[in-house]
Amino acid sequence: MTALTTRAPGGAVVALPGPAPRRALLTVLALLVAAAALLLPMQLASAHVVPYTTVQLSVTEEQVTAEVSVPLDDVEAATGTDLGNQQQADVDAEAETITDYLASTIAPTTADGEAWDVSIGDLTASTTGDAATTGYYQQLTTTLTLTPPEDASTSQFDLGWTAIVDSVATHQVLVVLAADATDPDFSGARQLGVVARDTVTGEVQGLTVDLQDGATAQESGFTAMVALGISHIAEGTDHQLFLLTLLLPAPLLAAAGRWSGTIAPRRTVRRILSITLAFTVGHSLTLALGALGLPVPQAPIEALIAVSILVAAVHAIRPLFPRREALIAGAFGLIHGLAFSETLRDLDLTGGRLAAALLGFNLGIEIMQLIVVAVVLPPLVVLARAGNYRRLRLVAAVLTGIAAIGWLLARLGIANPVADLADRLGTVSIPVVIVLWAAALVIGLRARSARRRVPSSASTTARRTAPSTARRQVPVTPGPRSEEPS
């Protein structure tokens, strides 16, 4: 095989790194990806958004009632119980253990630290969720009655909630004010905040309810919705996969029905930003419509999300709609937005509270999308311009296409192992990003080293040839000057 060369200033021919090191680099890349794939069965991450606990508070002058819904998988993890098929009989058999656990991890207090009385109602098992976002799962529902000490206000208190969050690190508790009989101007349900673990310290971040300070409550609720939007995309592998697969050919030029050559980095960035923006506009529109009550046919939406990923995968292999990626991203964004809306619909928000929640949730989605793009874009641009991108693009597109087919069949009611494996793709996202950056860094350093060797080799060649040239010089007697032809 002919070695790759370049010509330096002065005429020297210098060899550049040949295909062998590139093959070795790609082999290492493939081995790392394979090793990450072997870890899939040992992980718990899913293509679906992780279900969360919801706490809907109804406040009166005498007490606070909390309607609580908790995923039963997380109840098992937190209590150490085995609930079998998670049916009502299984919950009844462990009712005492579960009740004792809840009583020890739900301890509201006044601002001065005085304990409230907590009464826990019947425990009920039921099926909830949807296949497009959380997946169908079993939940535990119960009603808590929170009674403050005598003369204490029900409008200001520390919720004192650590249930589930103390044992399941990724769990979140969404707290909503569903009704407030103490406020004659109450205009509808609103988000109060989120109970979750601090990702740095690992400590549970509690929630103080202050219904007397409306501005603080609104700010806390808005921040909670931003965080919810971020986690929704971070945990929703199918949404990430669609956008990233559509971006795979972004640095490439389409010609004669194939991807060939690369475009300028600045143009690549513009193309990627336009695709991301179009996807945002699309899902924002239907997210709002869905949350406002637009009927969402779950089965077709779930299947169409899988179809969108399959179309993006085929386009990454062969251009189906070159230079129209933004239009397609916007169209499919409409479908993804309907799936997003299920999260807000569960909170039963209305009016201005719903508008604020929509804005915060959508902002969180966009922040996470931009983070994903910012992390993945630089190595893709480097790899595309280094000549090693075709193999990587094809492998990624084929694997994504297989995952999409598995999801499509599963969402049409045909269970298959491919869908189960694809549900765990989120477990390898970080290893794959690390591998991409490592490969791009190696290729970038090799290219920089090659550029440095070119002038060095040229000057060495010039020094070696200079003496022999001097020895061949013959003195010439100056003659009459003549004008050079113009």
Side-chain angles (χ1 to χ4, degrees), residues 224-242:
M225 294 311 298
V226 173
L228 184 62
I230 290 174
S231 65
H232 193 90
I233 291 296
E235 297 162 2
T237 306
D238 48 0
H239 301 300
Q240 288 186 45
L241 202 56
F242 167 73

Side-chain angles (χ1 to χ4, degrees), residues 128-142:
T128 188
D130 62 88
T133 52
T134 59
Y136 294 106
Y137 64 95
Q138 292 297 103
Q139 70 173 357
L140 175 75
T141 58
T142 189

Side-chain angles (χ1 to χ4, degrees), residues 155-156 177 180 183 190-192 208-221 353:
S155 298
Q156 289 179 315
L177 179 64
D180 186 1
D183 181 6
R190 72 169 186 263
Q191 177 79 10
L192 291 179
T208 298
V209 176
D210 187 354
L211 304 181
Q212 296 178 359
D213 188 347
T216 300
Q218 289 183 24
E219 181 181 346
S220 176
R353 311 296 187 189

Side-chain angles (χ1 to χ4, degrees), residues 16-54:
L16 292 177
R22 293 176 183 168
R23 283 198 299 269
L25 180 61
L26 288 174
T27 301
V28 172
L29 181 64
L31 289 174
L32 288 172
V33 172
L38 290 176
L39 298 175
L40 284 172
M42 297 182 286
Q43 303 295 327
L44 299 176
S46 168
H48 300 298
V49 176
V50 178
Y52 44 79
T53 292
T54 59

